[in-house]
Amino acid sequence: MIQQRLNTMKHDDHKTDQNSDKHADHDSGHGAGCSHSHDESSNRLETISLAVSGVLVVVALLVHGFKVGPVIVPKVLALGAMLAGGWFLLPKAWVAVRRLRPDINLLVVIAAIGASFIGEWVEAAAVVFLFGVAEWLEGWADRRARRATEALLELAPKKALVKRDGKFIEVPVEEVSVDETVATRSGMNIPLDGVVLSGESAVNQAPITGESVPVDKKPGDTVFAGTINGEGSLEIKVTKTTGDTTLARIIRLVAEAQEQKAPTQRFVDVFARYYTPAITAVALLVFLVPPLFMNGDWNTWLYRACVLLIIACPCALVISTPVSIVAGLTALARRGVLVKGGAHLETIGRLKALAVDKTGTITEGKPRVLSVDLITAKNPGEVLRVAAAIDAHSAHPLAKAVVANATDLKIDFPRAERYQARSGRGAEGMIDGHTYFVGNHRFAHELGVCSEAVEARLATFEAQGQSVVVVGHRPHDGCTGEVLGIIAIGDTLRPNAKAAIESIHAAGVERVVMLSGDNQRTADFIAKQVGIDEARGDLLPDDKVAAVKTLREKHEIVGMVGDGVNDAPAMATASIGIAMGAAGTDAAIETADIALMQDELGKIAETVALGQRTMRIIYFNITFALGLKAVFLVLTMLGHASLWFAILADTGATLLVIANALRLLQAPKGARP
């Protein structure tokens, strides 16, 4: 199914290119000429045609240079070279004429006809051949940049060992259903997303998350299609069919991202739309004005006009951005970073401030109960019983820690009735006919149950960077509430958090701000440990949105890192939203502009650095292409440039721009760009 979808996408791309005469935006500047995708057969045909054209051009040069045979021989050879190397240009040139929108194909055809008209047959053939080579190179560059993504398809096995009727049989992966059990032997690629039922093994997840070290998997752990099983044998319960696996989503998202135009690319397209007709008009004036008004030689100025047309071809200019963007997106995808389009790649390269969530981003996101401090309760079990009964309804990390601790201590707790969550504060519910609450310091204040003794104990825990869960009777019906106890919960810092923040600063991000729902003291304690510039605590979701807006007013380009679900409003408000640990999390992948498949904050610095490098390459390519055109245009007007010189310069510039862009693919995976 994945293969079929990608083949369909590629077929549609090719069909779009073939029908470029039906769409105005394919006729601007570069038109359909200098960069398009081909299917395998058409690419092979063009390669053979160019090879034939090249041979004929060389033979024509030798015959012409050594004066071998009749004068007509080099002309015939040159004509054959033009037909072999330019048969695919004529239909596109005709479309440009019909639409009265000159494009590169028309410029080349006019130049070749003009050169032939004044007797420069071999030069005309060279123009067509070398332009064909430039176009082939651009198509190759596009395929080269995309091939790394398409190679992901080969990671997913075509068949799977499925348990049916008590034994394992091999069937195509498309026929495997959710909840079936598949077996993966040592060294095999895992066929589908799922959860390990039995067995233990180290799994290489680099194709999905970019992790260089295999991850140990045991029963209950999640595994992804396309990842490589190590020495152990695993039995896996399938959770997603072949078209919905994380690998399939990555392939789709990267393919869609590569089709989206970045702002720089849109600018270049608009520039080329007006540039190409303008150059055509200038070439016409160069041909007509000197002979008509300055007594110039018609042949001389026709030749210079043809040279001008070739020099002006914006091949290198137009290819400079898309190849760079696709190469940058592909390089990041290979590192486990999904960037949803060139626009986001440009934005991340200009990032000035970064807002980060605390839990799961700076910390491991796996908090555990450290202590239970009694206030009015008689024993810790009483406090944990009430807290676990309410928290059993919640998926919040702190709630899970409380429930896990109560379960580990074998405390029997009911499931609270009339449960109500209080966003950013806590929750409440009814247990044994009484109304209880669990919540943070802020919630305890709002309920009016904070005494001096409670405040003092809360301050002690918060000064140590611990999160607190206040547990007690909720005030209601005229009854005053009371605090039963305080549960102190700790979350460990990520081992690389400090180094990651340092690398983010080193990448040019001026300010990193932590936004947390925890109290200010805890936020300050954590921020100081990892080198974060500023911490803002006691924030509700709306407060995080307001904080991001404030940052945008000061720094303009601001990123927000979160889990893609709880922090979605703040991520949407930021210039760019970044989801941590998105592998296997559909909502995170869909919500964010950039999805880090691995829980590694350091990937942000890599992404910023590669975004900056991509933009540097794009700006250099554009400047180089325009600068070279300007120099050769002057040389042409002064009569110091020939058709040979023009087409070699154009092809050379295109080749240099492509090679420069493809350097983005060369950085070793996992290394900082």
Side-chain angles (χ1 to χ4, degrees):
M1 183 179 293
I2 306 174
Q3 182 70 58
Q4 290 172 344
R5 291 187 182 184
L6 190 59
N7 287 341
T8 301
M9 179 189 73
K10 291 166 67 180
H11 173 71
D12 290 343
D13 286 347
H14 178 60
K15 185 165 63 176
T16 300
D17 290 328
Q18 288 179 321
N19 294 326
S20 59
D21 56 318
K22 298 179 182 178
H23 302 281
D25 51 344
H26 281 274
D27 294 326
S28 62
H30 198 223
C34 272
S35 176
H36 51 232
S37 56
H38 301 279
D39 60 24
E40 192 174 338
S41 60
S42 65
N43 179 57
R44 188 183 301 114
L45 180 59
E46 286 190 17
T47 303
I48 294 172
S49 298
L50 285 173
V52 171
S53 178
V55 170
L56 291 176
V57 168
V58 171
V59 175
L61 273 172
L62 293 174
V63 170
H64 179 71
F66 291 102
K67 310 294 182 183
V68 178
V71 178
I72 197 173
V73 172
K75 293 182 180 180
V76 172
L77 290 170
L79 180 61
M82 282 190 278
L83 292 175
W87 58 267
F88 47 85
L89 298 180
L90 291 174
K92 299 167 187 173
W94 175 241
V95 169
V97 171
R98 279 196 305 136
R99 301 184 67 87
L100 298 178
R101 289 188 181 180
D103 65 5
I104 290 175
N105 304 286
L106 182 59
L107 299 188
V108 172
V109 170
I110 292 173
I113 292 173
S116 303
F117 184 77
I118 60 177
E120 301 291 347
W121 286 87
V122 178
E123 288 194 48
V127 165
V128 173
F129 166 67
L130 290 174
F131 176 77
V133 170
E135 181 174 296
W136 184 90
L137 284 171
E138 291 163 18
W140 171 83
D142 186 60
R143 293 189 297 275
R144 169 75 176 81
R146 295 170 190 267
R147 194 173 296 133
T149 303
E150 294 181 12
L152 289 172
L153 289 168
E154 304 304 320
L155 297 172
K158 304 296 184 291
K159 294 183 180 294
L161 290 172
V162 186
K163 189 174 185 180
R164 291 178 181 171
D165 298 326
K167 58 183 179 179
F168 285 97
I169 60 173
E170 190 175 74
V171 301
V173 289
E174 291 84 0
E175 296 179 10
V176 181
S177 303
V178 172
D179 292 334
E180 286 197 287
T181 300
V182 297
T184 305
R185 300 190 185 105
S186 172
M188 288 178 59
N189 285 32
I190 293 172
L192 295 160
D193 285 10
V195 176
V196 177
L197 292 177
S198 65
E200 293 185 5
S201 183
V203 175
N204 180 359
Q205 298 191 148
I208 301 297
T209 66
E211 291 169 285
S212 57
V213 179
V215 179
D216 291 330
K217 298 291 183 179
K218 59 184 184 302
D221 289 342
T222 300
V223 292
F224 306 110
T227 55
I228 305 162
N229 186 24
E231 297 299 321
S233 179
L234 300 175
E235 288 190 15
I236 301 163
K237 179 182 178 181
V238 175
T239 56
K240 293 179 182 177
T241 56
T242 182
D244 296 322
T245 63
T246 302
L247 177 63
R249 296 173 69 83
I250 290 173
I251 294 169
R252 274 199 303 272
L253 286 170
V254 174
E256 289 168 4
Q258 290 174 345
E259 298 304 317
Q260 294 177 13
K261 291 188 177 182
T264 305
Q265 186 176 348
R266 290 196 294 269
F267 163 77
V268 170
D269 288 346
V270 172
F271 177 84
R273 181 177 300 172
Y274 296 100
Y275 167 84
T276 308
I279 285 296
T280 306
V282 170
L284 184 62
L285 292 175
V286 167
F287 169 54
L288 295 175
V289 171
L292 289 176
F293 301 102
M294 300 165 58
N295 231 9
D297 177 66
W298 284 98
N299 282 355
T300 298
W301 288 101
L302 175 58
Y303 185 82
R304 290 186 183 180
C306 291
V307 173
L308 177 63
L309 288 176
I310 297 302
I311 286 292
C313 285
C315 292
L317 173 66
V318 176
I319 198 66
S320 62
T321 301
V323 170
S324 301
I325 291 293
V326 170
L329 293 173
T330 303
L332 283 169
R334 291 163 63 182
R335 289 167 167 81
V337 180
L338 296 185
V339 182
K340 297 183 181 178
H344 303 309
L345 186 60
E346 286 195 17
T347 301
I348 196 71
R350 296 185 290 125
L351 196 68
K352 294 301 178 186
L354 184 67
V356 297
D357 184 37
K358 180 181 76 69
T359 305
T361 302
I362 303 300
T363 62
E364 291 283 3
K366 298 175 182 177
R368 59 190 179 88
V369 174
L370 302 177
S371 64
V372 178
D373 197 35
L374 303 179
I375 303 296
T376 62
K378 296 178 181 179
N379 58 71
E382 181 184 349
V383 178
L384 284 171
R385 179 178 181 273
V386 170
I390 298 175
D391 282 339
H393 292 270
S394 174
H396 191 281
L398 298 185
K400 288 183 177 180
V402 170
V403 173
N405 187 246
T407 303
D408 291 342
L409 295 175
K410 295 182 170 52
I411 295 173
D412 186 22
F413 58 89
R415 190 175 176 86
E417 299 175 347
R418 301 182 186 178
Y419 172 83
Q420 285 189 313
R422 302 301 182 191
S423 179
R425 298 170 176 83
E428 56 188 69
M430 184 167 285
I431 305 167
D432 301 330
H434 297 280
T435 305
Y436 293 90
F437 75 91
V438 295
N440 56 21
H441 193 164
R442 178 175 185 161
F443 196 28
H445 262 298
E446 291 179 0
L447 294 177
V449 295
C450 264
S451 64
E452 290 185 7
V454 171
E455 286 284 358
R457 296 188 189 187
L458 288 173
T460 300
F461 292 127
E462 291 168 357
Q464 297 170 1
Q466 297 173 3
S467 298
V468 292
V469 175
V470 183
V471 183
H473 284 285
R474 192 192 192 288
H476 67 288
D477 298 333
C479 298
T480 58
E482 65 172 349
V483 174
L484 296 175
I486 301 169
I487 302 174
I489 299 177
D491 189 4
T492 56
L493 289 173
R494 290 187 178 277
N496 63 343
K498 186 173 183 178
I501 297 300
E502 289 175 354
S503 64
I504 289 170
H505 278 130
V509 178
E510 298 169 357
R511 193 161 188 81
V512 179
V513 180
M514 186 172 75
L515 307 180
S516 175
D518 271 346
N519 63 82
Q520 188 64 50
R521 289 176 184 169
T522 300
D524 287 336
F525 182 83
I526 298 294
K528 185 177 181 180
Q529 284 186 294
V530 298
I532 287 176
D533 301 305
E534 180 186 353
R536 301 184 188 181
D538 297 310
L539 299 181
L540 299 176
D542 288 347
D543 298 326
K544 290 186 178 182
V545 170
V548 170
K549 287 181 179 178
T550 301
L551 285 172
R552 289 198 66 172
E553 290 172 1
K554 185 175 181 180
H555 299 280
E556 293 187 10
I557 308 298
V558 176
M560 172 67 196
V561 186
D563 63 7
V565 181
N566 297 332
D567 296 308
M571 291 168 66
T573 304
S575 309
I576 193 159
I578 305 170
M580 285 273 290
T585 308
D586 296 347
I589 294 178
E590 295 297 336
T591 301
D593 302 313
I594 295 178
L596 309 182
M597 304 308 290
Q598 186 181 352
D599 277 329
E600 188 177 325
L601 196 60
K603 292 285 185 182
I604 295 176
E606 279 190 37
T607 307
V608 172
L610 202 142
Q612 292 170 344
R613 187 176 176 213
T614 301
M615 294 312 300
R616 285 197 300 269
I617 286 176
I618 289 174
Y619 291 146
F620 174 84
N621 285 349
I622 291 174
T623 303
F624 173 74
L626 289 176
L628 195 66
K629 297 299 177 191
V631 170
F632 280 97
L633 285 175
V634 172
L635 291 175
T636 300
M637 299 305 295
L638 296 176
H640 297 306
S642 66
L643 274 176
W644 284 101
F645 202 31
I647 192 62
L648 285 172
D650 182 67
T651 304
T654 301
L655 185 58
L656 287 172
V657 162
I658 290 171
N660 194 31
L662 292 182
R663 287 192 304 119
L664 291 165
L665 294 175
Q666 300 307 312
K669 189 167 77 171
R672 180 175 169 176

PDB file of all heavy atoms in Angstrom, residues 63 67-75:
ATOM      1  N   VAL A  63      34.659  16.917 -37.710  1.00  0.00           N
ATOM      2  CA  VAL A  63      34.506  17.061 -39.163  1.00  0.00           C
ATOM      3  C   VAL A  63      34.682  18.515 -39.579  1.00  0.00           C
ATOM      4  O   VAL A  63      35.376  18.833 -40.555  1.00  0.00           O
ATOM      5  CB  VAL A  63      33.128  16.530 -39.619  1.00  0.00           C
ATOM      6  CG1 VAL A  63      32.858  16.890 -41.085  1.00  0.00           C
ATOM      7  CG2 VAL A  63      33.051  15.023 -39.429  1.00  0.00           C
ATOM      8  N   LYS A  67      37.932  19.842 -41.568  1.00  0.00           N
ATOM      9  CA  LYS A  67      37.467  20.028 -42.949  1.00  0.00           C
ATOM     10  C   LYS A  67      37.369  18.697 -43.693  1.00  0.00           C
ATOM     11  O   LYS A  67      37.802  18.557 -44.840  1.00  0.00           O
ATOM     12  CB  LYS A  67      38.402  20.966 -43.715  1.00  0.00           C
ATOM     13  CG  LYS A  67      38.721  22.283 -43.025  1.00  0.00           C
ATOM     14  CD  LYS A  67      37.492  23.141 -42.900  1.00  0.00           C
ATOM     15  CE  LYS A  67      37.844  24.494 -42.252  1.00  0.00           C
ATOM     16  NZ  LYS A  67      36.650  25.328 -42.041  1.00  0.00           N
ATOM     17  N   VAL A  68      36.778  17.699 -43.032  1.00  0.00           N
ATOM     18  CA  VAL A  68      36.640  16.376 -43.641  1.00  0.00           C
ATOM     19  C   VAL A  68      35.308  16.298 -44.391  1.00  0.00           C
ATOM     20  O   VAL A  68      34.251  16.590 -43.826  1.00  0.00           O
ATOM     21  CB  VAL A  68      36.699  15.275 -42.559  1.00  0.00           C
ATOM     22  CG1 VAL A  68      36.510  13.903 -43.195  1.00  0.00           C
ATOM     23  CG2 VAL A  68      38.017  15.343 -41.822  1.00  0.00           C
ATOM     24  N   GLY A  69      35.356  15.876 -45.658  1.00  0.00           N
ATOM     25  CA  GLY A  69      34.148  15.660 -46.421  1.00  0.00           C
ATOM     26  C   GLY A  69      33.493  16.951 -46.882  1.00  0.00           C
ATOM     27  O   GLY A  69      34.002  18.065 -46.671  1.00  0.00           O
ATOM     28  N   PRO A  70      32.305  16.816 -47.463  1.00  0.00           N
ATOM     29  CA  PRO A  70      31.575  17.993 -47.979  1.00  0.00           C
ATOM     30  C   PRO A  70      31.176  18.939 -46.841  1.00  0.00           C
ATOM     31  O   PRO A  70      31.042  18.537 -45.686  1.00  0.00           O
ATOM     32  CB  PRO A  70      30.334  17.371 -48.637  1.00  0.00           C
ATOM     33  CG  PRO A  70      30.683  15.947 -48.881  1.00  0.00           C
ATOM     34  CD  PRO A  70      31.631  15.554 -47.804  1.00  0.00           C
ATOM     35  N   VAL A  71      30.945  20.188 -47.180  1.00  0.00           N
ATOM     36  CA  VAL A  71      30.576  21.213 -46.197  1.00  0.00           C
ATOM     37  C   VAL A  71      29.271  20.880 -45.496  1.00  0.00           C
ATOM     38  O   VAL A  71      29.060  21.234 -44.330  1.00  0.00           O
ATOM     39  CB  VAL A  71      30.471  22.589 -46.890  1.00  0.00           C
ATOM     40  CG1 VAL A  71      30.044  23.664 -45.896  1.00  0.00           C
ATOM     41  CG2 VAL A  71      31.794  22.961 -47.536  1.00  0.00           C
ATOM     42  N   ILE A  72      28.395  20.155 -46.201  1.00  0.00           N
ATOM     43  CA  ILE A  72      27.067  19.880 -45.629  1.00  0.00           C
ATOM     44  C   ILE A  72      27.110  18.835 -44.510  1.00  0.00           C
ATOM     45  O   ILE A  72      26.182  18.735 -43.709  1.00  0.00           O
ATOM     46  CB  ILE A  72      26.098  19.432 -46.754  1.00  0.00           C
ATOM     47  CG1 ILE A  72      24.649  19.564 -46.263  1.00  0.00           C
ATOM     48  CG2 ILE A  72      26.403  18.000 -47.186  1.00  0.00           C
ATOM     49  CD1 ILE A  72      23.622  19.319 -47.342  1.00  0.00           C
ATOM     50  N   VAL A  73      28.186  18.042 -44.449  1.00  0.00           N
ATOM     51  CA  VAL A  73      28.250  16.958 -43.466  1.00  0.00           C
ATOM     52  C   VAL A  73      28.137  17.466 -42.025  1.00  0.00           C
ATOM     53  O   VAL A  73      27.312  16.970 -41.249  1.00  0.00           O
ATOM     54  CB  VAL A  73      29.545  16.126 -43.656  1.00  0.00           C
ATOM     55  CG1 VAL A  73      29.703  15.123 -42.509  1.00  0.00           C
ATOM     56  CG2 VAL A  73      29.505  15.394 -44.977  1.00  0.00           C
ATOM     57  N   PRO A  74      28.967  18.467 -41.606  1.00  0.00           N
ATOM     58  CA  PRO A  74      28.816  18.943 -40.217  1.00  0.00           C
ATOM     59  C   PRO A  74      27.443  19.543 -39.950  1.00  0.00           C
ATOM     60  O   PRO A  74      26.934  19.467 -38.822  1.00  0.00           O
ATOM     61  CB  PRO A  74      29.930  19.987 -40.070  1.00  0.00           C
ATOM     62  CG  PRO A  74      30.330  20.358 -41.440  1.00  0.00           C
ATOM     63  CD  PRO A  74      30.088  19.142 -42.281  1.00  0.00           C
ATOM     64  N   LYS A  75      26.838  20.129 -40.997  1.00  0.00           N
ATOM     65  CA  LYS A  75      25.494  20.696 -40.813  1.00  0.00           C
ATOM     66  C   LYS A  75      24.477  19.591 -40.528  1.00  0.00           C
ATOM     67  O   LYS A  75      23.615  19.720 -39.654  1.00  0.00           O
ATOM     68  CB  LYS A  75      25.076  21.494 -42.044  1.00  0.00           C
ATOM     69  CG  LYS A  75      25.902  22.756 -42.280  1.00  0.00           C
ATOM     70  CD  LYS A  75      25.394  23.508 -43.496  1.00  0.00           C
ATOM     71  CE  LYS A  75      26.230  24.779 -43.740  1.00  0.00           C
ATOM     72  NZ  LYS A  75      25.755  25.525 -44.929  1.00  0.00           N
TER      73      LYS A  75
END
